[in-house]
Amino acid sequence: MSSRVKRKYVPDLKEFMALCASNYAKLARLINLAELEVGQGFALPVEKQPDLQLCLKQKSQHTATYELKQESSQISLQRNYLVRMYHDAKVAEVLSGLNKGMLPPVYPYPNNKMKQPDEKIQLNRFLSEWLNFCLEFGQPHSFNRTQLVFFD
């Protein structure tokens, strides 16, 4: 009889910080296209995909929080993220993602919500891929926040 020992998930901080630094650089390339005030944003039409909408939700000397939204008639293609950019550390991290509420660093496993222990890094990886796609296939256009409806 073999005994299996379940190891507790331990996040790889070095990998996570590298991913957040990469996301910061990508998001900065998109954000620098427009000087935004709190409540303003812009739409980024993406070839043959729903537009990416970015809105500045909070701004301070060292941080900025953006709401990223992609709407689609297909629920499976809808994306909603709250992302904070830390300007002093030059990292951007997903604060909340596909589900409402702030993301903890690690989810206990098993859990009632069926979350994976590494859900936070998975969402940051997806953000990285999504930003890559938007940078490659998107065309930015400025807009006024009153022209768009953002989620709360």
Side-chain angles (χ1 to χ4, degrees):
M1 181 185 290
S2 67
S3 64
R4 289 189 337 174
V5 177
K6 286 190 177 188
R7 292 187 215 166
K8 182 179 174 186
Y9 170 73
V10 178
D12 183 338
L13 187 57
K14 187 175 180 180
E15 176 191 4
F16 181 71
M17 293 307 291
L19 180 60
C20 290
S22 173
N23 284 346
Y24 181 91
K26 293 169 192 173
L27 193 53
R29 284 181 54 198
L30 290 175
I31 301 302
N32 284 339
L33 300 170
E35 291 185 25
L36 303 176
E37 297 297 323
V38 173
Q40 294 180 328
F42 63 92
L44 183 73
V46 180
E47 193 175 305
K48 298 180 184 178
Q49 295 291 321
D51 293 354
L52 168 64
Q53 300 170 358
L54 291 102
C55 179
L56 178 60
K57 301 300 282 180
Q58 174 273 332
K59 183 178 180 180
S60 69
Q61 182 178 357
H62 300 291
T63 65
T65 304
Y66 292 90
E67 189 172 54
L68 282 68
K69 184 176 183 179
Q70 181 186 45
E71 284 194 342
S72 173
S73 58
Q74 297 176 335
I75 292 178
S76 63
L77 294 178
Q78 293 181 356
R79 305 282 184 258
N80 298 312
Y81 284 95
L82 193 59
V83 178
R84 177 158 298 143
M85 295 180 77
Y86 299 90
H87 301 304
D88 51 350
K90 300 218 180 299
V91 294
E93 115 180 271
V94 175
L95 298 179
S96 66
L98 303 173
N99 301 301
K100 297 199 182 216
M102 301 303 268
L103 290 168
V106 176
Y107 278 97
Y109 192 80
N111 58 67
N112 293 339
K113 295 183 180 182
M114 303 291 292
K115 301 284 186 185
Q116 295 298 311
D118 65 342
E119 189 99 5
K120 185 167 187 128
I121 198 162
Q122 287 185 37
L123 287 174
N124 279 278
R125 282 184 192 130
F126 180 82
L127 176 64
S128 178
E129 293 173 14
W130 188 23
L131 293 173
N132 283 340
F133 184 83
C134 291
L135 285 166
E136 186 171 347
F137 298 104
Q139 297 296 321
H141 298 285
S142 294
F143 75 88
N144 182 308
R145 183 174 173 19
T146 59
Q147 295 171 319
L148 294 175
V149 176
F150 285 92
F151 67 101
D152 290 321

